Amino acid sequence: MTSAPAPHARPQEPQIAITYADAGVDTDAGDRAVELMKAAVARTHGPQVLGGVGGFAGLFDVSALKAYDRPLLASSTDGVGTKVAIAQALDKHDTIGFDLVGMVVDDIVVCGAAPLVMTDYIACGHVVPERIADIVRGIAAACEVAGVALVGGETAEHPGLLAPDEYDVAGAAVGVVEAADLLGPAKVREGDVVLAIGSSGLHSNGYSLVRKVIEVAGWALDRDVPELGRTLGEELLEPTRVYSADLLAVARDASAQVHAYSHITGGGLAANLARVLPVGLAATVDRASWTIPPVFELVRGLGSVPWASLEATLNLGVGMVAVTGPDGADAAVRLLAARGLPAWVLGVVGFDDGARGADIVRGSKGVHGGAVRMTGKYRTQ
């Protein structure tokens, strides 16, 4: 005679009750962080923003879009990458927000769109209210510069996934452009002029390469670097320049004849410029038209980084590119200079002869576009 199967054993009751806080999540700290950042976020809100901080969703009145003939929404999302490791190592968190906002809204302005709203997301190992507030205050300050409303965000505590002092940031924005004012390949013509707009340094791309070079060289972030005029860490944490408001103003001035913009991020100048050129056209860019800022030459020399790798990774001092009509280049340079943005002629747009070579980039990041031919040699200080 067989015995009946034993009933399933019930899970043993824990001897000590485990709370969310015991698991490493402090909701009270999150609430304190929100209180510390509320004023900075509110400064980005105009009358179009409904409600305040803390709602489930941000609300933005888009009644003004009724005046558009054909409004096109433009969206972008990005992060800061491993530059956050520099901020964490230096325990300075109030500028990384400029890097985040710049990476997002300056992608939107490439098509001529004005950013309307932005949201952010911060994942961290442990919420330190003051640190989170510093990050968001930086994001809010950059949003003010860009003229975009910070309408929402999220701070998520990930104990066990991230170390207590680690965090990562990401963001997304939505903008609008009148269809007739859309910038890009469709407006670029043979004879157009390619203008460079100076960067504020490394911006937020290529930091995996930069950090590897520094690690191998054994340099400390507090090392004074005479050619930089400050410490290595201060140079590496230099905030990304936020261009959107200035470039929108220039694009709206008919004298500048702006046909396209390109945001020089991962992939470098040639690869990103090729994305905004139409098939059949090629831009010729003169490397000798500007002097490489010292930080780029430092990275190259310290790590014996080949020029080709440096060029395909870092912005080398060019943060944005404008493509203008031949009669608008001088006006564009003047308008940019008046807004504190150094600009100069990089080259011209002509027909693509189909040539191939190490100095020619054709198509990038899935875009079947035009070509960029890099000529000459870089000048260094």
Side-chain angles (χ1 to χ4, degrees), residues 95 245 363:
T95 62

Side-chain angles (χ1 to χ4, degrees), residues 319-334:
M320 299 283 293
V321 166
V323 181
T324 75
D327 297 327
D330 289 343
V333 169
R334 287 196 303 271

Side-chain angles (χ1 to χ4, degrees), residues 20 47 72 167 176 187 190 198 226 229 253 299:
Y20 208 11
L72 304 179
Y167 64 82
V176 64
K187 291 192 173 181
E190 181 198 9
D253 191 315
V299 171

Side-chain angles (χ1 to χ4, degrees), residues 42-51 59-63 149 151:
R43 285 195 293 271
T44 72
H45 293 177
Q48 299 91 344
V49 177
L50 282 66
L59 298 175
F60 190 86
D61 185 349
V62 293
S63 299
V151 297

Side-chain angles (χ1 to χ4, degrees), residues 193-220:
V193 179
V194 182
L195 302 178
I197 305 169
S199 72
S200 57
L202 291 162
H203 284 185
S204 300
N205 302 102
Y207 271 76
S208 294
L209 170 63
V210 174
R211 289 170 52 244
K212 186 63 175 180
V213 167
I214 293 167
E215 176 192 345
V216 172
W219 280 32

Side-chain angles (χ1 to χ4, degrees), residues 199-202 219 225-230 232 235-236 290-302 307 310 314 316-317 379-381:
S199 72
S200 57
L202 291 162
W219 280 32
V225 184
E227 56 263 50
L228 301 178
R230 52 182 168 177
L232 177 63
E235 178 70 29
L236 298 187
W290 79 101
T291 300
I292 302 297
V295 65
F296 300 100
E297 174 61 11
L298 176 69
V299 171
R300 188 195 70 80
L302 198 60
W307 275 111
L310 202 74
L314 305 177
L316 299 184
R379 292 188 286 118
T380 59
Q381 293 182 355

Side-chain angles (χ1 to χ4, degrees), residues 241-283:
R241 178 173 272 153
V242 177
Y243 298 92
S244 59
D246 293 317
L247 297 195
L248 280 171
V250 173
R252 288 167 177 164
D253 191 315
S255 68
Q257 298 181 6
V258 176
H259 293 164
Y261 284 129
S262 178
H263 192 189
I264 310 306
T265 56
L269 193 159
N272 284 291
L273 176 55
R275 298 166 70 186
V276 299
L277 300 177
V279 174
L281 294 184

